[in-house]
Amino acid sequence: MKKKQLILFCSIMTLFSFIGINGQTKTPLFTNAVYQGNDQVYIDNPLNSDEFYTPILQGCYPDPAITRKGDDYYMVCSSFAMFPGVPIFHSKDLVNWTDLGGVLDDVNEFNPHDTGISAGVYAPGITYNKYNDTFYMIVTAFSGNLGNIIVKTKDPMKGWGSPIKLDFGGIDPSIFFDDDGKAYIVHNDAPEKGKELYNGHRVIKVWEYDIENDKVIPGTDKVIVNGGVDITKKPIWIEAPHMYKKDGSYYLMCAEGGTGGWHSEVIFKSDSPKGPFIPAPSNPILTQRYFAKDRENKVDWAGHADLVKGPNDQYYGVFLAVRPNEENRVNTGRETFILPVDWSGEFPVFENGLIPLEPKLKMPKGSENKTGQKGYFPNGNFTYTENFNSDKLDYRWIGLRGPREAFISTTKKGLKINPFETNIKEVKPTSTLFYRQQHRTFSFTTTLEYKPKSEKDLAGVVALQNEGSNYVFGITKKDKDYYLLLQKNKWPFRRGKIISEILASTKIDIKDPITLQIKANGDKYEFNYSTNGSDFVNVGGVVSGDILSTDVAGGFTGCLLGLYATSANDAMPE
């Protein structure tokens, strides 16, 4: 065979390896994806020209921390086993935010490949040190034997340095820089061995920090809060500490009550960063735990906060909270909210943080609401359309336990996913491109060109809370026929082996692209398909979103919506 003929033959064979005889791609090709959110609360509460919505980050963006340099604000959140780790956002006015990706974006340095979805990395702190013009992000990593780590940069827009492992235990660290240039780390920890008084008894510790060598100074650790505001009342889970200095005094703000229905934010004061810290008489300064469970537009679990001086010298606090659906289930996960803070008195107080939270706020003077425009992160009701034809995929698309770049490639026709030999139920990197659920009422739609080669091949969409709580809606093969099926994967009571059930399946013709849709109205989820892109057929009826809820499935994340492909399929059509 002549050289030119050989090259042509190889090219044709390569083409056929991706494309079937009838033109269908064997490698799953997703030609678009559309997320549309339409919550009633935003319809009932339209914005005036001087207002913006809270939460400012809808969906699973919990445990916010914030810092400021000049007119630039930077905010980070927890990401658990999602990749990249620790999403970071930038704003000039606390209203309009741009997504900068993830701080921990090198899989060689942060690799959550073998961790459950709620492990990985969480509860970050971010602080700007004016004395050396450096930003510090500190966090607890539950993977790769990292523990508590810190990373630094002169410019968060240009990436971060390598993680530096710190020699202390506990979780939820943050770093504080004093006026004299000294640094301190505060964090949650267990009481000394033998001194735990009750389940949930925790302490807050402080360490002196060596800025030159980036390490805590051995022997400087000290317990500065034992139990919480009043240990005689057995407060649980004092955590997420942040230290501030104002008018010569030191303030320590912490979450208390656990990240659930009793969650709150409390404040302490001292003349020294090493205490003693005295609780404010008016604690808590933020909570939603005292109100009727059936209140309208319910926001709950408020706490885990951080403070920053905002525009016009007005203080603001960012914090996590949840918006349960009509069944009181938490499918959007813990989200990032914001409130102005009144610090005109001795202690800061979240404005309207001790009454039922409202969905909108007055903007800082001089701000203009540009959310959802010109690259700014959207909130409220919105439609996000992705055609996958840009050289740079939007940062809101993420991987699980590994980088998305390991399995995706963009083409002129759309996004190809190279299937891993990993099932969605395994605690391994999965070839799934995820988007966070951000509304109670939403639709997530994608068009798929795909021809599975065997029963081991499946591609489609997933709604996932964790590896043992998810729905799979995809195309596979049985004998010579092609099927679309809906599989439910659920942990049994007290965990154990995941129980998988085929809720429905239907034989389909795949000569043309298939449009798949996940649709929800509160707790009611539907999985639909269309062969013409407009007329949808339901598969499996209406199913419960219970297993996609944080409080039912467990863990700390919200529901993730994914474009999924696998060569380790175990879902067999009936």
Side-chain angles (χ1 to χ4, degrees), residues 359-374:
K360 58 183 185 175
L361 299 171
K362 292 290 184 182
M363 286 191 296
K365 290 182 180 179
S367 297
E368 179 184 353
N369 194 335
K370 300 176 183 178
T371 55
Q373 309 170 32
K374 302 176 182 178

Side-chain angles (χ1 to χ4, degrees), residues 63-70 72-77 86 88-89 103 123-139 149-156 160 166 172-179 181-186 209 211 214 240-245 305-309 318:
D63 308 331
I66 192 168
T67 196
R68 175 182 182 178
K69 176 188 176 182
D72 293 294
Y73 301 87
Y74 294 94
M75 183 167 60
V76 292
C77 303
V86 189
I88 181 168
F89 296 83
V103 174
I126 186 170
T127 312
Y128 172 67
N129 181 5
K130 65 181 181 180
Y131 293 99
N132 61 4
D133 189 28
T134 301
F135 292 85
Y136 293 73
M137 193 285 293
I138 185 169
V139 73
I149 57 174
I150 199 163
V151 295
K152 302 186 297 181
T153 186
K154 295 288 186 180
D155 185 354
W160 295 73
L166 301 176
D172 293 14
S174 67
I175 189 165
F176 164 73
F177 299 99
D178 206 346
D179 295 336
K182 290 184 178 180
Y184 301 86
I185 285 177
V186 288
Y209 187 75
I211 297 174
D214 285 308
H242 292 278
M243 192 177 288
Y244 315 95
K245 191 174 186 180
D306 196 8
L307 302 179
V308 69
K309 185 179 281 189
V318 292

